Amino acid sequence: MGFFKVHGIIARAFRALYEEVCLDRRVVITGVGLVTPLGIGTEETWSALCAGKSGIAEVTRFNASAFDTKIAGEVKNFDPADFLSKKEARRTQLFICYAIAATRMALDDSKFVIDERNANRVGVLTGCGLGGLAMMEDSLRTLDTKGPNRVSPFFIPMMIGNMAPGMVSIQFGAKGPNASIATACAAGTHAVGDAYKLVKYGVADAMITGGVESVITQTCFAGFNAMKALSTRNDEPQKASRPFDRDRDGFVVGEGAGILIIEPLDSARERGAKIYAEIIGYGMSGDGHHISAPAPGGEGMARCMQAALDDAGIGYRDVDYINAHGTSTQLNDYYETQAIKTVYKDRAKIVPVSSTKSMTGHLLGGAGGVEAVFSALAIDRGILPPTINLDNPDDDCDLDYVPKVARKAEVKTVMSNSFGFGGTNACLVLRKVTD
């Protein structure tokens, strides 16, 4: 038997052993960090969320008087210098600052230490829909008024979405897999799902993952207003985001970051880490239908939810709560409701569903990360966040949306949904660790 044939046999044997070991890896969430319109930090945000408070208010980031929409979910009282040096804070875009701040919180929460022994096996994977849009606007104004030689050398590196995981890697020394996903409003969920697979299959031993966004800017509002996608309930900001309500008139742009530390169950237990939940399923699908409208009946959404259940190896009867995409737009809320009915059948009207966007607004590429954290906290604390502003339920949206008031519940398994423009869908399934 020749050398190469023997070598091939040995290599295949090691590969089979490697895959067998790695496929058995269970992946858990051991740290969370939040920067949202409801607060800076997990406790401030979660407390406001469960109290049914809205983070929506008049736009202060720019003069919105000429825009149809004058409200947003801005992060309040955030000082980048609390998390970066003053020099770095001055030249770092807000979405990157949010990512770094939420990562610091998540690492502190998990007590996970990155050092030279593990750095190459710890990665960063975040979702971001639009990146440094404010930097783009400022640079175009400079180009038009002062010429190309006055455009900042930081324009490109500070605008691109992958600078969020890039800067997190630089700040915290995580040198494993590093990437940014830009799948619109599903980006954060795709990031957590892909990071889950990287740990599950042994590509990394831990991942910093989630979603980030900060695009409360003039071009963002102009674009979404042109699509008639944003609420114009300017005289009642806190009532503007009203998923599943008959009088909903569009979504409200929010900003912030939700970051999770994920790692194998065994290593989490070895170091005595707190475990919020286990990630057990991840589904993806494409509508193949329209650039912004969901496929009729929520057909693509339903396939995504079913794919996540299949990946988890559970049935629809095993899910205790759904954190809905629930944007407060006419078509999304209706079609997501239809999709839940398709997948959950006789349990569709029994399983609680809520849209936390009713309080945070829609964080676009950041939404999936924030809502994954909310889903983990729902399991950990046994509380279902409410859907506020559900004053007049739409006749076609007739599920149990946990209206107005948070609800205590024994929560073992949660599904978190995210659906993006272009018909790109992502769902996660989380479960309480009991064995």
Side-chain angles (χ1 to χ4, degrees):
M1 188 177 293
F3 170 78
F4 290 106
K5 192 169 184 178
V6 172
H7 182 271
I9 292 172
I10 294 172
R12 285 195 292 275
F14 273 105
R15 179 64 185 173
L17 178 63
Y18 173 82
E19 288 182 347
E20 183 178 350
V21 171
C22 291
L23 286 172
D24 284 337
R25 259 183 158 180
R26 295 171 64 184
V27 181
V28 295
I29 300 165
T30 56
V32 296
L34 290 169
V35 177
T36 77
L38 294 173
I40 299 169
T42 301
E43 298 310 321
E44 187 176 354
T45 293
W46 182 251
S47 176
L49 191 81
C50 293
K53 295 181 178 178
S54 171
I56 312 303
E58 292 183 5
V59 171
T60 64
R61 204 64 55 77
F62 63 91
N63 181 357
S65 59
F67 292 78
D68 294 340
T69 295
K70 302 172 179 51
I71 55 177
E74 296 179 346
V75 173
K76 292 90 173 169
N77 305 315
F78 180 83
D79 184 354
D82 290 341
F83 301 93
L84 293 160
S85 70
K86 290 185 178 179
K87 181 179 179 181
E88 289 173 321
R90 280 197 304 273
R91 67 188 191 191
T92 303
Q93 284 289 283
L94 206 47
F95 78 102
I96 303 168
C97 295
Y98 290 158
I100 291 169
T103 299
R104 168 53 63 201
M105 296 172 195
L107 285 171
D108 289 347
D109 184 36
S110 74
K111 298 180 176 57
F112 188 93
V113 177
I114 304 171
D115 56 30
E116 58 184 26
R117 293 170 300 174
N118 65 7
N120 292 349
R121 299 283 299 168
V122 180
V124 190
L125 181 50
T126 56
C128 182
L130 293 168
L133 201 57
M135 188 77 175
M136 172 73 84
E137 289 181 9
D138 290 344
S139 298
L140 283 173
R141 290 192 191 97
T142 300
L143 179 66
D144 286 344
T145 58
K146 299 179 181 178
N149 292 332
R150 297 295 298 276
V151 172
S152 168
F154 294 105
F155 166 42
I156 297 298
M158 288 298 119
M159 178 197 71
I160 52 181
N162 69 293
M163 197 50 67
M167 283 288 286
V168 168
S169 172
I170 292 167
Q171 289 291 320
F172 300 103
K175 299 180 181 179
N178 192 291
S180 178
I181 290 180
T183 47
C185 305
T189 299
H190 276 133
V192 176
D194 288 356
Y196 154 63
K197 296 292 185 181
L198 290 176
V199 176
K200 180 178 178 63
Y201 295 129
V203 179
D205 289 335
M207 291 294 293
I208 299 164
T209 185
V212 302
E213 199 79 271
S214 177
V215 288
I216 299 177
T217 69
Q218 296 183 65
T219 52
C220 173
F221 274 53
F224 281 128
N225 271 158
M227 298 176 70
K228 307 296 183 187
L230 297 184
S231 171
T232 57
R233 194 182 288 261
N234 299 311
D235 54 344
E236 295 182 298
Q238 297 191 344
K239 291 184 176 295
S241 184
R242 41 195 321 110
F244 310 111
D245 186 83
R246 181 189 63 199
D247 300 321
R248 65 192 184 276
D249 69 334
F251 74 86
V252 178
V253 177
E255 63 174 356
I259 295 293
L260 309 92
I261 308 300
I262 66 173
E263 59 185 300
L265 174 62
D266 290 347
S267 64
R269 281 177 166 161
E270 282 176 10
R271 65 185 190 86
K274 172 182 173 58
I275 297 172
Y276 285 91
E278 180 179 4
I279 304 175
I280 60 170
Y282 170 42
M284 307 168 69
S285 75
D287 280 2
H289 171 67
H290 190 270
I291 59 171
S292 57
E299 183 270 340
M301 299 172 176
R303 281 189 287 107
C304 188
M305 286 188 245
Q306 187 61 55
L309 292 175
D310 292 344
D311 187 51
I314 64 173
Y316 67 91
R317 295 182 184 280
D318 298 314
V319 175
D320 300 310
Y321 165 64
I322 301 171
N323 187 291
H325 188 54
T327 55
S328 186
T329 57
Q330 290 294 331
L331 281 183
N332 177 86
D333 291 358
Y334 172 57
Y335 284 148
E336 185 171 14
T337 298
Q338 294 297 304
I340 290 171
K341 289 180 178 179
T342 299
V343 174
Y344 286 80
K345 303 179 178 62
D346 57 307
R347 287 201 74 237
K349 292 190 178 183
I350 298 173
V351 63
V353 179
S354 68
S355 171
T356 44
K357 291 186 179 71
S358 60
M359 292 165 280
T360 64
H362 190 352
L363 276 65
L364 308 176
V370 168
E371 290 160 16
V373 173
F374 290 165
S375 298
L377 291 173
I379 291 172
D380 182 64
R381 302 185 180 186
I383 299 177
L384 308 181
T387 303
I388 68 168
N389 300 322
L390 191 54
D391 299 326
N392 301 295
D394 187 326
D395 289 342
D396 292 325
C397 296
D398 53 355
L399 307 181
D400 175 9
Y401 302 109
V402 194
K404 298 187 178 182
V405 179
R407 186 183 301 170
K408 290 185 178 179
E410 178 67 21
V411 187
K412 295 180 180 176
T413 307
V414 173
M415 173 175 282
S416 182
N417 291 341
S418 293
F419 310 121
F421 278 180
T424 178
N425 309 309
C427 299
L428 292 170
V429 180
L430 311 183
R431 181 174 65 187
K432 180 189 287 286
V433 176
T434 58
D435 59 336

